Amino acid sequence: MIEPVHACVRGRTRYRIRGLYRSYPLKTQLESQLKSEEGITLVSASILTGNLLVIYNSNRSPSDIAGFIKRIVSKVAREDIAISAPKRRENSRGKQPAMSKRKLRRLVVRSEDQLVEQWHTKDANVVLESLATSSVAGLSDREAKERLKKYGPNVLPEAVSRSSLAILIDQVKSVPVALLTAAAGISVLTGGVVDAIAIMGVVGINAVIGYVTDSQSEKTIHSLKSLVRPSTLVRRDKKAREISAAEIVPGDVLVLRPGQYIAADARLVEAKRLSIDESALTGESVPAEKKPGVLYEENIPLSDRSNMCYMGTLITGGQGLAVVVATARFTEMGKIQTLVGEAEAPKTPMEIQLDQIGTQLVIASSALCGIVFVIGFFRGYGFLLMFKMAISLAVAAIPEGLPTVATTTLALGIREMRGHNVLIRRLDAVETLGSVQVICLDKTGTITMNRMSVIELYVGGKLINISKEKLPLISGRIDSVFLQETAGLMVCSALCSESEVIENSEGYVVNGSPTENALVYMAMASGLDILNLKENFPLIKMIHRSERRNMMMSFHKTAQGKMLVAVKGSPSEILALCARQMRRGETVPFRDEQHRVVQIENERMAGRALRVLGVAYALVDCDENVIDDEKILANGLIWLGLVGMADPIRKGVKELTAQFHKAGIKTVMITGDQGPTAYAIGKELNLSGEKQLRILDSTTFASLDPEAMQALCQQAHVFARVSPGHKLQIVQGLQGASRIVAMTGDGINDSPALKAADIGVAMGKTGTDVAREVADVVLENDNIETMIVAVSQGRTIYANVRKALHFLLSTNLSEIMVVFAANIGGMGQPLTAMQLLWINLISDIFPGLALSLEKPEDDVLDRPPRDPDEPIVRRSDLKRITGEAGVINIGAMASYGYGIARYGTGLRASSMAFLSLTFGQLIHALSCRSDKHTIFDSEPMPPNKYLNVALGGSFALQALTFVIPGLRSLLGIGRIGLIDSLVVGSTSVVPFLVNEMTKKVRKEKR
């Protein structure tokens, strides 16, 4: 059965495919075959939802695509590929997922099997009873420890670092090594034992170099996994406590809050407007609404299991409780990881491109070397001589140093950024940093210091400036709930808060969010005893801000028997719910004109860049076990007043935005503040540069279609009144407009957007664990200014890899040109097989690596971001590479021609060609340091000590060929006179000067 479940957007249809659920073979067939159909641009199949998303040209119809799908499904069924979801599930119960031979965690290996049930079909109380736990008390610490020993830690098998032996084997299982080994074998069979030893010596030296560099890179890359240790909130021994996610066991009760990642698979026990982003698991982009009721269909897809929550998914709104039913490899996420066999870290986009280039070069160079072999053979040279020559030329032509250069450069870039307190958590994030086109700056904690303090109050029609006036002191018991509106505002602000007040020898310490801490400190400054206050008004329930309601509510017992409801949040939303207000200790009607006065004052305070909260309350007769907050709000609240808070802007942020603009990066501010507050801060920071500042109120997002959303996101510089879901929409809107987006943040509400962004950047000190856990980059010292350093480094790393690639391709191509030209021209053999291998040894790896360690060029932040779809080697690069290789080839052939004219074809002439080509290639590394700067410029480039050492060492090795007789004999180097040396020197240096002059002319034409 193939059923379209969503086809509202033209050119984008989601289908439900019967049999796709849990069928990895069918998923593979659908994705591979549909992608080959003309007009289909994207295919994504989910084996956990049974859904298939297809994006295609709008001239196609959903029924056309359904026809393609039907044929593929029928074909797979005929080929007896098991696509029966129930059958797969039964098999999986009997056999545990296979583990990697090199297991990361011994406890996981030794752990016992967990109880596997259709938990979504069981009542929550039955699930709690089955797991011997309680939603009120949770597990005891003792029981949790016993279960941890029994079931093992809640960790998944992860990609592990390669062993030393594996790294060494990787160095010798390449095409060039295979070719060289074949040549060495033939040499042994034909009596050339010395040649064979020399060839395998080259293989050994290259393997050692590759092993050393790869080992260091592997250590750096693998260390990225230990930067963040996730934690989660559970109920143990009747108390909520934060523990490591690895310590979660079946039967634990998870306390669910917005912005948290769910640490294990769990059955919901309670849910209040709970919504969870399950896109990481199911592919569904819209957060799923969750309820604890029983579902009766056993084989329902994961995306429809509304009473379950799964490891790795993100809570976007509401709250709840859930009992853990599966951990580690028994979770749905664990099953996926085992199913698709994610045992190795994926390659970065740059490494994939370089692999493709390497494959293309193998094919092209093999063809050219074959031609050289045929021409030489028919010109009368021996089969064995030409065979060795062809193989050596093929090896020399293939830049096998490319993968080493790329991986080492990325790893060293990560190490360099750590020196600037920038922690990179994903290898490919390094190169993505160089492509960032838009950076979304979360205001609180990123642009500002996240140190809130109350500046103004607007209560009872009067403005109170906290810094200039003393707060009216509140003393005595507050049995009558409130003495007057100022006291009421203080009481509600302190009660509607999760900040914890701790008394010590030095006074009081307040732990919580900066906003709530500021409110508590304000209440304490007015004389309120917060600890006594919370005893007098015991907390019954707390309802957090959600996507649909921008306010927080707390419910408290009172001495009079009624329930106090304290509310704080968006002034406009709370005002709309207030029909009465408090004045002089009495509740009086709150008329429309008074509403307007408060709104005007709200906008005035916001226009001064203050964060403004509205505060209200209600006294209700209500059973504490059955609280209907919707009904309470519908009956109306009593208005108390406005609280205006300031969060100082971080030093240097204004200058930073100017630097981003200079680098061609658009800056966008995202904030939950009201429009006037956001506009004032945006103006102060000059977020729009020379353009008019555009601000967008995010409450209008619900009415926008995707195309309009993308257009508005491109134009706006400030987004106001933003919720966590809105942040995600903003990032996705910018990405939909083909922008590479970086998102900064520090709070749990930033987590969905941090994860969705191309680069998520979290604060290291003040950032939450959740934010750091999902981010690609962590700013260890919370200094947002280091972001420009990270962007600079990302651009530099990519540019340096291109420089190394340019050098390797141009020098290797020059070798092919020399041998090819000599064979075509009937000039004999200018280079021997040993000489080609020697050139490959001293001029490929070390100069290439040194070029990849160049310092940032002066204008690296004056250029626009690179196009992420741009190939690492452009057509214009190929022209330059060919031209430069041709000039080096002419120099070597000129030296060879001079040698033939003076000494005839033979040892001395080929020695001159060998030396000219070797020195010419090494000197060419200096030209590859920049595609703009030349030696003719007045300002020299900053020195590259690594290149100096690499070239010095290579020239020294070349000098040894004249000193060590055995080496000289092996390479076939004849005697070189003074005039010959001058010829070799000039034919090495002149190509460098010509290439530099060509570069200068090209720069002047731009």
Side-chain angles (χ1 to χ4, degrees), residues 589-641:
F590 197 19
R591 298 183 178 84
D592 289 346
E593 60 270 19
Q594 293 170 317
H595 272 239
R596 285 192 290 273
V597 170
V598 174
Q599 278 285 20
I600 291 169
E601 189 59 34
N602 170 40
E603 291 175 8
R604 186 199 64 78
M605 293 169 73
R608 294 182 56 241
L610 296 181
R611 183 180 187 187
V612 188
L613 292 177
V615 183
Y617 79 102
L619 279 171
V620 296
D621 293 311
C622 179
D623 183 353
E624 64 182 71
N625 297 313
V626 185
I627 297 176
D628 188 343
D629 54 291
E630 299 287 353
K631 184 178 179 181
I632 291 171
L633 292 177
N635 290 336
L637 300 175
I638 300 169
W639 177 258
L640 288 169

Side-chain angles (χ1 to χ4, degrees), residues 257 272 319 494-499 516 534 539-544 552-556 566 568 627:
R257 294 286 183 267
K272 185 69 176 180
Q319 56 195 14
L495 290 175
C496 190
S497 164
E498 289 188 302
S499 289
E516 294 191 339
K534 292 194 173 186
L539 177 66
I540 299 170
K541 185 177 182 179
M542 185 85 73
I543 297 178
H544 297 84
M552 180 177 178
M553 303 172 67
S554 61
F555 300 82
H556 307 264
K568 75 170 190 294
I627 297 176

Side-chain angles (χ1 to χ4, degrees), residues 14 21-22 27 44-51 156 261-262 264-266 276-286 288 290 301-305 308-314 328 330-337 339-340 755:
R14 192 183 299 276
Y21 183 66
R22 299 263 189 203
K27 166 187 167 71
S44 177
S46 172
I47 58 175
L48 294 174
T49 63
N51 289 350
L156 297 177
Y261 271 86
I262 294 172
D265 289 2
I276 298 178
D277 176 7
E278 297 183 331
S279 58
L281 185 66
T282 67
E284 300 289 344
S285 57
V286 178
K290 295 292 183 177
L302 294 186
S303 58
D304 295 335
R305 296 184 186 181
M308 297 289 294
C309 52
Y310 297 100
M311 173 189 270
T313 58
L314 178 69
F330 294 94
T331 63
E332 295 297 334
M333 196 68 79
K335 292 172 186 176
I336 295 175
Q337 189 157 339
L339 184 64
V340 299
K755 184 180 180 183

Side-chain angles (χ1 to χ4, degrees), residues 421-468:
N421 296 310
V422 179
L423 305 181
I424 306 295
R425 298 190 62 240
R426 281 194 305 113
L427 190 62
D428 59 345
V430 180
E431 55 183 286
T432 308
L433 277 167
S435 306
V436 169
Q437 297 164 319
V438 180
I439 182 164
C440 297
L441 300 164
D442 182 62
K443 191 210 79 172
T444 304
T446 304
I447 289 176
T448 62
M449 298 179 70
N450 206 11
R451 296 176 187 167
M452 285 284 186
S453 58
V454 177
I455 303 297
E456 292 179 350
L457 301 177
Y458 185 74
V459 189
K462 179 184 177 184
L463 182 67
I464 301 174
N465 191 312
I466 301 295
S467 60
K468 295 180 181 178

Side-chain angles (χ1 to χ4, degrees), residues 205-495:
I205 292 170
N206 269 322
V208 169
I209 295 169
Y211 173 80
V212 171
T213 54
D214 271 14
S215 296
Q216 293 300 316
S217 300
E218 189 78 17
K219 288 176 183 177
T220 301
I221 293 164
H222 194 64
S223 70
L224 302 182
K225 297 171 186 172
S226 61
L227 292 178
V228 175
R229 297 188 179 277
S231 60
T232 193
L233 197 63
V234 299
R235 191 169 281 178
R236 293 256 179 103
D237 288 324
K238 298 184 179 181
K239 295 180 180 178
R241 64 178 67 170
E242 195 171 48
I243 65 171
S244 168
E247 296 175 15
I248 297 291
V249 295
D252 259 325
V253 175
L254 302 179
V255 181
L256 308 180
R257 294 286 183 267
Q260 291 180 347
Y261 271 86
I262 294 172
D265 289 2
R267 169 68 164 87
L268 287 176
V269 178
E270 296 177 12
K272 185 69 176 180
R273 286 191 298 279
L274 185 66
S275 60
I276 298 178
D277 176 7
E278 297 183 331
S279 58
L281 185 66
T282 67
E284 300 289 344
S285 57
V286 178
E289 296 291 332
K290 295 292 183 177
K291 297 178 181 178
V294 178
L295 300 172
Y296 296 101
E297 186 180 344
E298 283 198 8
N299 298 330
I300 190 169
L302 294 186
S303 58
D304 295 335
R305 296 184 186 181
S306 57
N307 59 7
M308 297 289 294
C309 52
Y310 297 100
M311 173 189 270
T313 58
L314 178 69
I315 303 169
T316 58
Q319 56 195 14
L321 294 176
V323 57
V324 173
V325 296
T327 62
R329 69 183 190 271
F330 294 94
T331 63
E332 295 297 334
M333 196 68 79
K335 292 172 186 176
I336 295 175
Q337 189 157 339
T338 304
L339 184 64
V340 299
E342 291 181 350
E344 294 182 2
K347 291 185 176 181
T348 70
M350 184 192 296
E351 289 176 306
I352 293 169
Q353 278 200 63
L354 292 178
D355 282 348
Q356 292 171 347
I357 291 171
T359 303
Q360 293 164 358
L361 287 173
V362 168
I363 296 169
S365 61
S366 298
L368 284 170
C369 294
I371 295 170
V372 168
F373 171 80
V374 171
I375 292 172
F377 182 73
F378 282 106
R379 284 192 179 276
Y381 301 109
F383 174 85
L384 185 60
L385 173 67
M386 289 311 302
F387 181 76
K388 286 183 181 178
M389 173 63 70
I391 287 181
S392 300
L393 188 59
V395 171
I398 300 168
E400 66 270 21
L402 276 183
T404 299
V405 166
T407 307
T408 304
T409 305
L410 290 171
L412 290 175
I414 290 171
R415 192 176 299 175
E416 173 73 17
M417 285 195 234
R418 283 188 183 179
H420 293 283
N421 296 310
V422 179
L423 305 181
I424 306 295
R425 298 190 62 240
R426 281 194 305 113
L427 190 62
D428 59 345
V430 180
E431 55 183 286
T432 308
L433 277 167
S435 306
V436 169
Q437 297 164 319
V438 180
I439 182 164
C440 297
L441 300 164
D442 182 62
K443 191 210 79 172
T444 304
T446 304
I447 289 176
T448 62
M449 298 179 70
N450 206 11
R451 296 176 187 167
M452 285 284 186
S453 58
V454 177
I455 303 297
E456 292 179 350
L457 301 177
Y458 185 74
V459 189
K462 179 184 177 184
L463 182 67
I464 301 174
N465 191 312
I466 301 295
S467 60
K468 295 180 181 178
E469 302 178 35
K470 287 187 176 181
L471 286 172
L473 290 176
I474 303 169
S475 58
R477 293 178 58 84
I478 313 182
D479 293 329
S480 60
V481 182
F482 306 122
L483 303 176
Q484 40 85 21
E485 52 268 31
T486 306
L489 185 142
M490 300 295 173
V491 170
C492 283
S493 298
L495 290 175

